[in-house]
Amino acid sequence: QAELWKQDYKAALAEAKKTKRAVLLDFTGSDWCGWCIKLKKEVFDQKAFQDYAAESLVLVELDFPKNKPQDAKVQKQNAGLQQKFGIEGFPTIILVNASGKEIARTGYLDGGPEKYVEHLRGLLKGKKK
């Protein structure tokens, strides 16, 4: 379900503004980082997460692949965001509001999509500005 995940950060913020949602940024190494791959498989690819996200979040994948070709514009954007948010390890999951202000950050959690959705709900609760 590729259309659920955007790569364009600015477009995601614009959509978040329009739909009054938070944005989930997934800083990932999709083709080399074990925990990133696990998180995608166990959570992001699952229906329970996708259903929640479709209603409540705008999803952005900020990928730092080692072997996959990547558009230069995307690469530059992702490197800039990595710097802006001070990302040191993958996966780092950051929730931001429509202005791009950080609400919370998290990472891999086991327990499957339902538990992860609950975790995200908790992070977003009371933090919607």
Side-chain angles (χ1 to χ4, degrees), residues 117-129:
V117 165
E118 210 173 299
H119 172 64
L120 293 175
R121 279 205 173 108
L123 292 175
L124 289 168
K125 213 172 252 147
K127 293 187 176 156
K128 278 213 173 102
K129 288 282 175 286

Side-chain angles (χ1 to χ4, degrees), residues 53-109:
E55 285 172 16
S56 312
L57 298 169
V58 179
L59 302 175
V60 185
E61 184 186 67
L62 301 166
D63 197 7
F64 296 81
K66 293 217 164 126
N67 307 302
K68 264 194 312 206
Q70 190 178 42
D71 184 75
K73 213 173 88 186
V74 171
Q75 219 167 9
K76 191 172 168 233
Q77 166 198 267
N78 293 5
L81 290 168
Q82 179 181 22
Q83 216 170 6
K84 173 180 154 89
F85 289 105
I87 304 300
E88 282 161 12
F90 304 107
T92 298
I93 306 303
I94 298 190
L95 295 164
V96 300
N97 66 15
S99 334
K101 187 170 165 307
E102 183 172 333
I103 299 167
R105 66 174 63 194
T106 184
Y108 172 82
L109 279 185

